[in-house]
Amino acid sequence: MSGSRITVVLVLIILAFDVSQAQTERQRLEKEKQEIQDRILETQKILSQTASKKNNSLGRLRALNNQIRSRVSLVNAIKGEVTLLDEEIAEDQSIIDAMENDLNALTDEYGQMIYATQKTSSGFNQLTFLFASGTFNQLFMRMKYMKQYGEARKKQVEQIQIVQQSLNEQIVEIEEQKSSKQSLLNEELSENRKLSNLQSEQRSLVTKLEQQENKIRQDLARQRASEKELSDRIDAIIEAERLAALASAVDMSDINAAFEGEKGRLPWPVDQGFVSSKYGKHRHPTLRTVMLTNKGIDIQTTKNASVKSVFPGKVSAIMSIPGQGNTVLIQHGEYFTAYSKLKAVVVKKGEQVQAQQVLGQVLTDNNDVSEVKFKVFDQKTTVNPETWLERKIN
């Protein structure tokens, strides 16, 4: 096989491999982008509900913050696609350059063959060349030579056609890639404008909320008091349940193992929503000197959203605390999950519930914010619920 033909084969192999790799990466980016866009639509729906009565609320600020994070992620995903296309275009251009070089080399080789044939054939025809053989063996060798030379010319033509076709296909592909890149750049520009508008609204809202510091501090004090009351009651119920299980020597190893096996894969307690307040300590969104401690996560969702159990278990308690709405506490062996800020509950104490069974509806406050607080308790204390729930891309 000639050097040109070897190069052509290698180029085609590399091309097929690169296309497969690029398609895999592009599919991953497309999937990620679609998930982000889904989250944006969810948050937009939640954001529109918080605007129906009062614009100046912490719930609206949290929805705006989440929308901005999602928009930033979307812009970054688009940039990733553009970078990938730039790399593909550069790779394809190098392949086109290699193919053009091979095509020129093959054409030159074919031209030299034709020239050599014409030069050899000048002054006599093929029959004269054959019958001029001195021996039968020489005649046989001349016939074999002519056949091989003819086949070589035919293969050279076929090779030129293969390279030319591949080159044309690659040129079409690179033009499509450039068109896709321009579409993505236009999309990125549009998303950047939307992001800029959201950031402007965010700054304006923060300024307005900072002017309501006294009211926010009073609301925060009431919220902390109601959360402590709820937390104390839940702790007491869990402790009583554990003592009862210990006294009865109930084996909970199987259900404990089953619950632990779902870590990172538990369904969310609501179908739509985002984490508006994370687990643990973090700074207040407008009171910069105030630190908040959250023993669960707050999930902002849509009005009248159904709140569901994340795992099979027994309803240990149903309680109502002013400021926290109704709370459902479910036991899963030595683990517990708590669902607070419900306006209505459709299960009863002692009832066995299944995963994704509806427990009640989310409560909507005076600012049109619909938010459920979700907690997970292990054998000792609360743990970060986000590490137990299936991951959502912001």
Side-chain angles (χ1 to χ4, degrees):
M1 186 180 289
S2 67
S4 295
R5 289 180 66 192
I6 291 173
T7 305
V8 171
V9 172
L10 287 175
V11 165
L12 294 176
I13 291 173
I14 292 169
L15 175 61
F17 178 75
D18 286 345
V19 167
S20 176
Q21 290 282 88
Q23 285 177 343
T24 300
E25 181 63 12
R26 192 183 296 122
Q27 287 170 356
R28 185 192 69 79
L29 285 171
E30 279 293 332
K31 181 182 178 183
E32 179 179 330
K33 191 169 75 171
Q34 185 59 55
E35 288 179 357
I36 294 170
Q37 288 171 331
D38 290 343
R39 298 287 83 75
I40 287 174
L41 290 175
E42 283 185 15
T43 311
Q44 187 61 48
K45 184 177 179 181
I46 295 168
L47 197 57
S48 66
Q49 291 180 354
T50 63
S52 61
K53 288 185 180 178
K54 296 183 178 180
N55 286 315
N56 304 334
S57 69
L58 288 174
R60 180 165 181 79
L61 178 60
R62 291 187 176 110
L64 269 175
N65 291 342
N66 189 77
Q67 186 80 325
I68 287 170
R69 284 193 297 271
S70 295
R71 292 282 179 190
V72 169
S73 297
L74 180 57
V75 169
N76 289 336
I78 294 171
K79 286 180 178 178
E81 285 192 280
V82 171
T83 300
L84 178 62
L85 276 174
D86 281 338
E87 293 172 355
E88 288 180 25
I89 289 170
E91 289 174 2
D92 288 347
Q93 188 59 57
S94 66
I95 290 171
I96 287 173
D97 293 341
M99 283 184 174
E100 286 177 341
N101 291 334
D102 283 340
L103 189 58
N104 291 333
L106 287 167
T107 304
D108 289 343
E109 288 178 14
Y110 185 68
Q112 292 169 10
M113 280 186 178
I114 297 299
Y115 176 74
T117 302
Q118 290 174 345
K119 186 176 180 181
T120 305
S121 301
S122 62
F124 65 93
N125 58 32
Q126 292 184 5
L127 287 174
T128 303
F129 177 64
L130 290 174
F131 288 126
S133 303
T135 65
F136 178 79
N137 186 57
Q138 190 179 45
L139 173 65
F140 176 76
M141 294 303 295
R142 287 188 179 188
M143 288 177 64
K144 184 177 180 182
Y145 164 75
M146 289 174 62
K147 181 181 179 183
Q148 290 176 340
Y149 201 74
E151 289 175 350
R153 286 172 56 186
K154 183 180 178 182
K155 288 180 179 178
Q156 196 77 358
V157 171
E158 291 174 351
Q159 197 63 48
I160 289 172
Q161 291 173 342
I162 291 172
V163 176
Q164 184 67 63
Q165 182 181 351
S166 298
L167 177 58
N168 292 339
E169 290 173 355
Q170 202 63 27
I171 289 172
V172 170
E173 175 68 19
I174 202 171
E175 289 303 321
E176 291 176 353
Q177 289 169 339
K178 288 178 179 178
S179 176
S180 296
K181 177 183 174 181
Q182 187 57 52
S183 296
L184 283 170
L185 289 173
N186 293 338
E187 185 180 354
E188 180 183 348
L189 184 63
S190 173
E191 290 300 332
N192 274 320
R193 281 196 291 265
K194 293 175 184 176
L195 179 59
S196 179
N197 291 336
L198 285 170
Q199 289 170 332
S200 177
E201 184 180 354
Q202 178 196 48
R203 288 191 294 269
S204 174
L205 181 54
V206 167
T207 300
K208 291 175 182 177
L209 287 171
E210 286 175 343
Q211 295 169 358
Q212 303 175 16
E213 180 175 344
N214 289 337
K215 179 180 181 302
I216 291 174
R217 285 185 180 275
Q218 290 172 3
D219 290 343
L220 181 60
R222 286 193 292 269
Q223 180 183 327
R224 282 173 165 169
S226 64
E227 284 183 352
K228 184 179 186 307
E229 181 181 353
L230 177 62
S231 181
D232 289 345
R233 288 184 62 178
I234 289 176
D235 288 344
I237 292 170
I238 290 176
E239 181 63 21
E241 290 278 11
R242 286 175 176 159
L243 288 173
L246 188 63
S248 61
V250 176
D251 184 5
M252 297 184 175
S253 56
D254 287 345
I255 191 169
N256 288 342
F259 190 83
E260 290 163 0
E262 292 300 306
K263 187 172 185 179
R265 298 187 299 180
L266 289 175
W268 281 50
V270 287
D271 291 333
Q272 294 183 324
F274 64 90
V275 176
S276 53
S277 181
K278 289 184 172 292
Y279 177 82
K281 291 186 177 181
H282 50 88
R283 198 173 299 279
H284 191 278
T286 59
L287 306 176
R288 303 302 180 185
T289 60
V290 175
M291 294 297 295
L292 302 175
T293 300
N294 196 346
K295 293 186 177 182
I297 57 173
D298 293 286
I299 303 174
Q300 202 164 327
T301 184
T302 55
K303 190 174 183 179
N304 296 323
S306 294
V307 180
K308 305 174 183 179
S309 174
V310 299
F311 194 80
K314 183 192 76 173
V315 178
S316 289
I318 297 171
M319 59 201 87
S320 179
I321 303 290
Q324 297 297 313
N326 293 309
T327 295
V328 177
L329 181 67
I330 300 180
Q331 182 178 12
H332 318 276
E334 293 182 288
Y335 290 89
F336 290 81
T337 54
Y339 312 76
S340 301
K341 298 185 180 178
L342 277 61
K343 71 174 181 179
V345 175
V346 296
V347 292
K348 298 178 180 179
K349 181 180 178 180
E351 182 178 341
Q352 292 291 331
V353 296
Q354 301 303 313
Q356 292 290 275
Q357 181 174 332
V358 175
L359 306 175
Q361 283 184 320
V362 68
L363 177 70
T364 300
D365 67 16
N366 294 330
N367 291 315
D368 273 349
V369 176
S370 304
E371 197 171 57
V372 60
K373 183 178 284 292
F374 176 62
K375 295 180 182 178
V376 178
F377 300 79
D378 65 6
Q379 292 91 336
K380 296 179 181 178
T381 184
T382 58
V383 292
N384 186 357
E386 280 195 85
T387 63
W388 288 83
L389 297 176
E390 60 183 0
R391 181 175 175 268
K392 283 188 179 182
I393 295 178
N394 286 329

